Amino acid sequence: VLTVLGGLAIHQFVVLPVLVAVLGGMNPLEFFRKARGTMLTAFSTSSSSATLPAAIKCAEEDLGVPTSVSNFVLPLSASMNH
C-alpha cells in the first residue's frame, strides 16, 4: 500500500508539475488551483464519465483550452480509461 501511495505522490507532485511547466508552459500551482474542482469531483466519484462535464467546463473556461480540443480529447480519454 505504501509503495502505491508513494508512486501516486511522485506522479502528483513531481511528474505532473514538470509536464505542466514544460509542455503546457503554465505555472503548476496555477494549474492545480484552476483544476481543483475537477480533481475533487474525480476523486469523490471515482468515475471518469461523471467527471467529464466538469472537466470540459474547467478546460474551456478556466484553462483556456479551445472547445474543439477539449470536446475531442476529454471524451476520448474518458472512454480509454474504461
Side-chain angles (χ1 to χ4, degrees):
V1 171
L2 293 177
T3 302
V4 171
L5 292 177
L8 291 172
I10 290 170
H11 184 70
Q12 176 75 29
F13 299 112
V14 177
V15 175
L16 287 178
V18 168
L19 290 175
V20 167
V22 173
L23 298 178
M26 183 180 218
N27 181 351
L29 294 176
E30 179 184 351
F31 171 78
F32 287 122
R33 186 174 48 252
K34 289 182 176 181
R36 178 180 47 205
T38 302
M39 285 194 256
L40 289 174
T41 304
F43 290 136
S44 64
T45 62
S46 298
S47 170
S48 56
S49 297
T51 307
L52 188 57
I56 290 173
K57 181 179 181 228
C58 174
E60 292 174 1
E61 294 177 5
D62 298 334
L63 298 172
V65 176
T67 303
S68 60
V69 173
S70 66
N71 285 336
F72 175 73
V73 173
L74 292 173
L76 179 65
S77 65
S79 65
M80 291 173 70
N81 195 28
H82 287 267

